[in-house]
Amino acid sequence: MRQKTSIEIFTYWEQLRGSADAPLRNLIQPSAVRHILPELFILELLPNDAPRFRLAGTAICSLMGREIRGESFAALWAGSQIDDPVRIATGVMTHVVPALINATGYSISGRHMAFEMVLMPMRSSGDVCDRLLGCLTPVAHTAWLGSEPLEFLALDRSRLLYDRPARAIEPPSHPEPVGMISHQDGVRFGDVMRRMLNLKVNTRPHTQVDPS
């Protein structure tokens, strides 16, 4: 993990979870991560085990050239790789273990850029982990990013950020989220954020992912 946004949000997630394996989503304070909200997203696990974007920051939507809220997580990835990223995201929630993904984004014209993605599980209640807090950050910033949409992401490699047994969830000790900010379509980004915020993923050549 090398990108500033990745480190900041993972550190915040670690602080909130304490001795638990994942924080309760109502502990997330959007105002505490206001400066990186545009690069954050939330996935929710549907009954058919298909992760879907419940929320996506403005920077991520700009990269893809569209509003991706409500879309399947699979929609971001190259057609030949869809199963692997979806399996990773599902496993993060199912087995409550955070993961790091390194990917390359390709534009329609063939330009490309490396990206870092962190996936962190969140719980709706003490025994239900059906949300995922994530970030997507380019390793560098160039003029074409945001002006020339990405056609897809290609998975390069992935790994667990650690492997720690599950622990009992502590009762919520934080107030409800405050200090909301606006989303690009005029709906307050934080109004949605207030509700937000073991898979053994082996790093393999050729981006193979083998669930434990």
Side-chain angles (χ1 to χ4, degrees), residues 48-211:
N48 62 352
D49 291 335
R52 178 182 68 178
F53 283 98
R54 184 176 180 85
L55 189 65
T58 55
I60 300 175
C61 294
S62 178
L63 286 170
M64 305 310 299
R66 66 185 187 277
E67 170 62 69
I68 62 173
R69 179 181 175 185
E71 287 192 12
S72 168
F73 184 57
L76 265 61
W77 302 91
S80 61
Q81 291 188 320
I82 288 176
D83 289 345
D84 287 345
V86 168
R87 188 179 298 118
I88 293 169
T90 300
V92 166
M93 289 180 272
T94 302
H95 299 283
V96 201
V97 178
L100 174 68
I101 288 178
N102 294 103
T104 302
Y106 292 88
S107 70
I108 295 177
S109 68
R111 288 174 170 170
H112 57 88
M113 174 60 66
F115 286 85
E116 188 171 83
M117 178 183 288
V118 183
L119 307 176
M120 298 153 286
M122 297 189 299
R123 291 186 180 275
S124 297
S125 62
D127 58 353
V128 178
C129 184
D130 58 358
R131 299 289 168 85
L132 179 159
L133 172 62
C135 69
L136 178 65
T137 310
V139 301
H141 292 276
T142 60
W144 67 269
L145 275 179
S147 60
E148 185 174 334
L150 298 179
E151 187 174 11
F152 60 83
L153 296 175
L155 176 65
D156 296 325
R157 58 187 178 276
S158 63
R159 67 178 178 87
L160 297 178
L161 291 175
Y162 64 82
D163 186 2
R164 192 164 97 174
R167 289 170 170 78
I169 297 295
E170 298 291 335
S173 59
H174 296 266
E176 286 298 309
V178 295
M180 310 306 180
I181 67 172
S182 297
H183 188 42
Q184 64 180 16
D185 59 3
V187 178
R188 289 182 68 81
F189 189 79
D191 290 339
V192 183
M193 290 287 284
R194 72 177 185 274
R195 294 182 172 274
M196 70 177 271
L197 332 176
N198 235 254
L199 177 67
K200 305 293 184 181
V201 180
N202 297 318
T203 301
R204 298 286 184 86
H206 310 298
T207 69
Q208 293 300 309
V209 179
D210 181 20

